[in-house]
Amino acid sequence: MQLPSLALALTLTVAAPALALDWPQWRGPKRDGHQTETGLLKEWPAGGPKRVWMFEKAGLGYSGFSVVGGKLFTMGVRDGQEVLFALDTATGKELWAAPMGALYDEDKPSYNVNWGEGPRSTPTVDGDCVYALGAWGNLVCASTKDGNKLWAKTMQELGGKTFGWGYSESPLVDGPKVLCTPGGSQGAVAALDKMTGAVLWQSKDLTDQAQYSSLVPATIHGVPQYVQRTMQALVGVSAKDGKVVWRSPWEGRTAMIPTPVVKDNFVFGTGGYGIGCKMVEIKADGTAIEFYRNGNMENHHGGVILIGDHLYGHSKQGWTCLDFKTGEPKWTEKQKLEKGATAYAGGMLYLLGEKTGQVVLLDPSPAGWSEKGRFTIEPQSSVRNPKGAIWTHPVIANGQLFLRDQDHIYCYAVK
């Protein structure tokens, strides 16, 4: 009776690495912008890698991609409402589409959507379920097979209030929980049963209003927790009950967007609008010590990625390589590419310019800018708001690069 069990274990062991090539949530498998896939192109031919397919019915929105099991999941706008849909990654063919809720649009007074309507966040895939958060704050759990809605919850039910540019956070699944940040007096962070949507806890001693950043799971000094950025602070809450483990006051401005970066017991945060960056060291007793704070990395919303001991991302000064330990820049490049978003895969950085749609393959090095290829996504969307830009982050999974410009989704072969 042991042989079948051993055979099954060996089968699972062999099959497991393929899962690492997927991109199941915002900023990849570990929410750090990294894809562990190997064998990807280290240099692109003139004109860039081959485009495999283009899908032109994604609708308005800046929603990002999750790619799991040969399916791409994202959100858009159709017939005046937000929808969650899935594509076949091999062909770009639509597999299904499911309604999410009302369109987040500029007909609603007091909401700042003049940079573009539609959903903003990235769906999260866990097993047979996909979790998606619409801009109004509608959280939906649906079947990855056919989009059938399994349960739904609103951020308003959890005490949240729709604000500014709408809910942009991407849900986090951790074990039996799905987590989100409704903000407000009932508790800024909420943990729900991922199978039913029932509330497990809310962080009642953290009542800040929500911003646009997404939660990051971390274990610091042996304590499992979730790190978040609010307008008032960098903060860690217990994974067990949502109680605040540590808090470092840090007043923001206008909108706090980039996801924090955690390494060991250090947490790095950054923001635009003159905020700059900050590193805190978390002590075993829950004290958060400010390690440094400066303007050397002022990232608006394209994200920063830690590779070794260096951070890469766009700052107000230009594309920057920052020493993670000291907060000092190793280099800054102002001329080669405008502000944009980035992702890391196969040892290379993928940079996406928000205005031109240029995509650059960069060999990351503290020695300087080392470009290995460039192309421009074409054709570009004709429905994008004039004040908007190409803000959806690049995603790399299973040898494919996925990009979006509103209703257009592009797939390129990069293996």
Side-chain angles (χ1 to χ4, degrees):
M1 294 296 292
Q2 291 182 340
L3 285 177
S5 298
L6 177 60
L8 176 60
L10 289 174
T11 301
L12 292 174
T13 301
V14 171
L19 298 176
L21 307 183
D22 286 334
W23 189 282
Q25 61 178 332
W26 167 245
R27 285 173 59 85
K30 296 184 178 180
R31 292 208 160 198
D32 57 4
H34 283 239
Q35 169 61 279
T36 58
E37 185 174 357
T38 59
L40 303 181
L41 295 173
K42 295 290 188 179
E43 190 168 351
W44 288 340
K50 178 184 177 182
R51 193 180 78 195
V52 180
W53 53 258
M54 178 175 65
F55 181 75
E56 300 181 74
K57 297 180 181 179
L60 294 172
Y62 296 101
S63 179
F65 312 124
S66 288
V67 180
V68 175
K71 296 178 181 179
L72 178 149
F73 303 87
T74 190
M75 293 182 287
V77 173
R78 292 182 187 172
D79 300 323
Q81 64 178 347
E82 296 181 348
V83 296
L84 169 68
F85 62 91
L87 305 180
D88 184 311
T89 58
T91 64
K93 179 183 177 181
E94 183 174 304
L95 301 173
W96 54 257
M100 282 286 298
L103 168 65
Y104 194 75
D105 63 18
E106 54 193 15
D107 292 333
K108 309 295 189 299
S110 81
Y111 296 113
N112 199 345
V113 293
N114 56 347
W115 275 264
E117 302 174 345
R120 287 92 160 89
S121 68
T122 298
T124 299
V125 178
D126 178 71
D128 296 328
C129 296
V130 54
Y131 302 84
L133 180 64
W136 279 113
N138 300 316
L139 177 62
V140 169
C141 171
S143 165
T144 58
K145 180 181 179 181
D146 54 15
N148 181 49
K149 187 184 296 184
L150 304 176
W151 58 260
K153 184 83 69 175
T154 70
M155 295 302 98
Q156 290 75 17
E157 291 177 79
L158 301 171
K161 181 180 179 181
T162 309
F163 55 98
W165 289 279
Y167 279 97
S168 303
E169 177 187 27
S170 301
L172 168 66
V173 176
D174 185 25
K177 304 187 293 288
V178 57
L179 298 111
C180 54
T181 310
S185 61
Q186 290 178 211
V189 177
L192 312 178
D193 184 304
K194 71 179 183 181
M195 302 308 295
T196 67
V199 177
L200 300 176
W201 54 251
Q202 283 192 245
S203 53
K204 298 186 182 302
D205 54 348
L206 176 67
T207 57
D208 297 356
Q209 294 300 316
Q211 278 294 296
Y212 305 91
S213 181
S214 293
L215 290 158
V216 177
T219 299
I220 302 176
H221 295 297
V223 180
Q225 56 193 270
Y226 308 114
V227 177
Q228 183 58 293
R229 172 68 163 117
T230 72
M231 187 62 82
Q232 289 76 39
L234 273 173
V235 61
V237 301
S238 168
K240 179 181 179 181
D241 53 18
K243 291 182 178 179
V244 172
V245 179
W246 59 269
R247 181 185 177 103
S248 179
W250 190 20
E251 287 294 322
R253 296 191 190 102
T254 309
M256 295 296 97
I257 305 170
T259 301
V261 174
V262 182
K263 182 179 181 180
D264 302 324
N265 59 318
F266 291 92
V267 178
F268 176 91
T270 180
Y273 308 99
I275 294 302
C277 63
K278 170 174 171 169
M279 169 91 86
V280 294
E281 180 182 8
I282 312 304
K283 299 294 187 180
D285 63 358
T287 304
I289 306 298
E290 189 171 295
F291 207 67
Y292 60 76
R293 188 197 302 195
N294 59 50
N296 294 333
M297 180 64 83
E298 186 180 326
N299 186 264
H300 187 194
H301 50 57
V304 295
I305 295 178
L306 179 63
I307 304 171
D309 290 324
H310 297 91
L311 284 158
Y312 297 84
H314 190 275
S315 180
K316 187 176 182 180
Q317 300 88 339
W319 288 94
T320 299
C321 172
L322 193 77
D323 189 303
F324 183 74
K325 296 178 179 178
T326 67
E328 294 301 315
K330 303 299 290 186
W331 56 259
T332 298
E333 175 53 62
K334 299 180 181 180
Q335 305 299 323
K336 298 291 179 64
L337 185 68
E338 79 270 23
K339 183 174 76 172
T342 184
Y344 177 73
M348 307 294 282
L349 278 169
Y350 294 69
L351 314 182
L352 172 62
E354 67 173 29
K355 293 295 185 183
T356 63
Q358 291 186 63
V359 187
V360 171
L361 186 67
L362 196 74
D363 188 356
S365 168
W369 180 277
S370 179
E371 186 173 324
K372 300 298 180 181
R374 177 185 296 244
F375 72 98
T376 301
I377 57 175
E378 293 178 342
Q380 295 182 15
S381 175
S382 61
V383 301
R384 186 193 328 136
N385 189 293
K387 292 186 177 181
I390 303 173
W391 285 328
T392 303
H393 289 212
V395 163
I396 306 96
N398 300 292
Q400 296 174 306
L401 166 65
F402 301 96
L403 302 169
R404 178 177 186 171
D405 181 13
Q406 297 292 313
D407 51 338
H408 288 42
I409 295 175
Y410 316 82
C411 173
Y412 299 85
V414 293
K415 194 174 180 92

